[in-house]
């Protein structure tokens, strides 16, 4: 699966293509959250982004993909 030009591999546990969820908070105090999740087995990984001291969107996508793909 490709999300924002970044490739996410199939689930390492069961081989199903993962799904992305991007939750954007319209707040200066709450961070946004992004997660990748396998719809079959429920394996998931998430990252907060876009608030103070957190990575910007593109960097967060790359970090999430790196974490997911290295499993």
């Amino acid at each position: 699966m490709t999300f924002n030009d970044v490739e996410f591999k199939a689930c390492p546990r069961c081989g199903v293509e993962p799904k992305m969820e991007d939750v954007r908070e319209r707040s200066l105090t709450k961070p946004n959250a992004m997660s990748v999740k396998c719809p079959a087995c429920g394996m998931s990984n998430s990252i907060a982004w876009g608030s103070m001291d957190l990575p910007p969107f593109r960097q967060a996508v790359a970090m999430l993909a790196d974490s997911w793909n290295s499993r």
Side-chain angles (χ1 to χ4, degrees), residues 30-54:
K30 289 183 182 178
N32 299 304
M34 182 184 330
S35 62
V36 59
K37 183 175 183 178
C38 176
C41 71
M43 186 170 151
S44 67
N45 200 0
S46 61
I47 190 168
W49 66 274
S51 187
M52 295 179 78
D53 298 328
L54 293 174

